[in-house]
Each structure stands twice: as C-alpha cells, then as structure tokens.
Amino acid sequence: MSPPRLSLVLLLLPPCASAVRFLVLRHGQTDHNRDGIIQGSSDVSRLSDRGRTQAREVGAALARLGDVRVARTFLSPLARAQQTHEILLLDRPDLPTPTTLDGLREIDLGSWEGRAKAELRAEQPDVYAAWQCDPLAMVVDGRKPIVELWERARSAAWPTLRAVDTAAEDDEGATLVVCHGSLGQALLCTALGLDATAWRRHPFPNCGMAEIDWPADAPRATRWRWRLPEEGCWQSGTAARALHLSRVGVRIEG
C-alpha cells in the first residue's frame, strides 16, 4: 500500500456543528523563559514585563474575536498560568470563573528544574539531545518525562475537560485552557491521536493559542488551527495524523 497523498488530506474543513471547541493557551513569557532556565512543574518563575504585555495582548485579541464565546475556563495551578489569566480579565472580565486542574501543570522534569539550559547541555549532552528530538529516549531521574506528560494529557486532562463539556447545557461555547508549552503540545497532539513521537511538531510560543474542534461522540479531534499570535488555516485531524506518520516512516492503510 502506498503512503497517503498528503496534498489531498490537508483540507480546510467546513464548521462542525456538533463539535466542542477548545482554546489551548500557553502562558506569557516568564523570567525563566527569558533567562534560559528550565521550569518544568516548579512554581518559582513569574511573568516578565514582556510576558505581562503578551497576556494583555491576548486579552484584547479575545475581546475582538466575534466568533469566540468562552463558556468554561480551566487553569494550570502554576502561578505563571494563573497570572496570565488574571491579566486576560482586564479585557475579558466576562470570562467564567475558572477551575484549576492539577493535570494541567507543566511537564515534570525533576532535578532539571531550576537549572540553566546551557549547563544541562554541557553536563548531559546525550539527555539534552533527546530532550530536543528523541522523546522516547529522554530520561531524567530514571523517568521518561515526555512519555509521562503525554499519558497525563490523554488519561487525566482530556477526560476531565471533555466530561465537563459533554454534560454542559451550553455546548456552543468554547472551553479556554490556560496552561503551558509542553503540556499544550501534549493536549493538542493527543487530541489528534498523535503519540509522544510528535514532540516538538507543534511548539507553542508564549501566549500562543491553538483552537481544537472535538465532537463529543468522536474518538479524536476532527480539526485544529493556530488562533494566536496569528490565525492559521483549519487542518483536519486526518491530515495531522497522516503527516506525522509519514515523518516517522509509518504507512496508513486505505
């Protein structure tokens, strides 16, 4: 069977009337982001001046998006996500009262947390290289943090987010999820049915936001796009899976 013709599956899809919409937003730049320090799930860093400006710009952008009405809000428990949400309220005071979920915290990096990236690159070059491009081989303190993150997104975060939406009376409104860069990748990729080998395929910039449509009765998200900092085109979930599988050398039947 020949590989899929990606030019045929990279489609712009019409709106899905039954879809439940999620807006996955990374926090603004922190002092650790600025200084090249690993954060992980530690809760020491705070938004930098630039990060606060980015969050304010997102709030203003959300206020201008006429097709987005936020019905539910979920937050990471970490301060940098909480700070970002607080700044959003300056321009979107109508956002619903948030629910904080521990499952939305950032990737757990153990002894790496609080360390400078340059130091880790020099001291542990093989592990740092795996952190960049070999997620299944990346081990810190005897654990595989990227693999564990994907499992948390799939088994803990998404079931909670989707269960609330499925039961909600207001199923037309979007769910805003304010979280982190690595966790945002894991949420997007697991929604599309991509495993941890998709690490760094869809990196989130500070205050980058992805929009995901996932029908309540579907096993995977049907489409997604970048919404911020710039609006992208809708891509089908099938296209995302086909593109990823072609990159890792797997063929799709049918």
Side-chain angles (χ1 to χ4, degrees):
M1 185 68 65
S2 60
R5 295 181 62 184
L6 299 180
S7 60
L8 298 180
V9 293
L10 288 171
L11 304 174
L12 300 182
L13 300 182
C16 299
S18 62
V20 177
R21 183 165 298 183
F22 298 88
L23 303 172
V24 179
L25 174 68
R26 185 187 179 189
H27 60 78
Q29 185 199 63
T30 67
D31 47 6
H32 278 25
N33 291 147
R34 180 195 61 206
D35 298 338
I37 297 173
I38 295 286
Q39 297 174 112
S41 58
S42 67
D43 202 15
V44 177
S45 64
R46 297 295 183 267
L47 295 188
S48 65
D49 289 342
R50 181 182 179 189
R52 287 188 287 271
T53 297
Q54 290 170 330
R56 190 64 192 267
E57 291 172 348
V58 170
L62 285 175
R64 293 193 299 268
L65 296 179
D67 65 324
V68 174
R69 184 174 56 79
V70 177
R72 293 157 294 276
T73 304
F74 289 89
L75 305 181
S76 160
L78 303 184
R80 52 195 187 267
Q82 300 273 335
Q83 283 184 293
T84 298
H85 175 258
E86 290 171 3
I87 295 172
L88 297 183
L89 293 175
L90 297 176
D91 290 286
R92 286 295 306 266
D94 60 319
L95 289 177
T97 301
T99 299
T100 297
L101 293 180
D102 184 65
L104 296 178
R105 71 186 186 278
E106 183 56 305
I107 186 171
D108 298 318
L109 288 171
S111 61
W112 275 34
E113 295 176 358
R115 299 287 307 279
K117 294 179 181 178
E119 293 178 357
L120 290 168
R121 187 184 300 113
E123 293 176 8
Q124 304 177 43
D126 292 342
V127 181
Y128 196 89
W131 164 246
Q132 295 299 309
C133 59
D134 193 0
L136 302 186
M138 197 265 188
V139 177
V140 175
D141 304 332
R143 304 177 68 173
K144 293 187 174 183
I146 301 171
V147 174
E148 291 179 358
L149 178 69
W150 247 247
E151 181 59 28
R152 169 154 51 93
R154 179 187 302 108
S155 301
W158 273 125
T160 301
L161 297 173
R162 298 193 71 219
V164 170
D165 276 353
T166 301
E169 294 180 2
D170 180 11
D171 59 2
E172 295 298 319
T175 296
L176 175 64
V177 182
V178 185
C179 57
H180 306 273
S182 297
L183 189 276
Q185 288 187 63
L187 287 175
L188 173 59
C189 290
T190 53
L192 295 171
L194 308 181
D195 64 18
T197 59
W199 170 245
R200 298 195 187 276
R201 295 294 189 196
H202 304 295
F204 277 65
N206 288 117
C207 277
M209 185 171 75
E211 184 174 8
I212 303 168
D213 275 359
W214 193 343
D217 58 352
R220 300 187 182 103
T222 52
R223 63 177 189 167
W224 80 282
R225 64 175 171 173
W226 289 112
R227 201 67 197 260
L228 295 173
E230 296 182 358
E231 186 170 308
C233 296
W234 284 109
Q235 298 182 49
S236 74
T238 301
R241 289 187 292 276
L243 181 58
H244 173 64
L245 293 173
S246 72
R247 285 172 169 170
V248 297
V250 177
R251 297 189 175 191
I252 300 177
E253 296 296 328

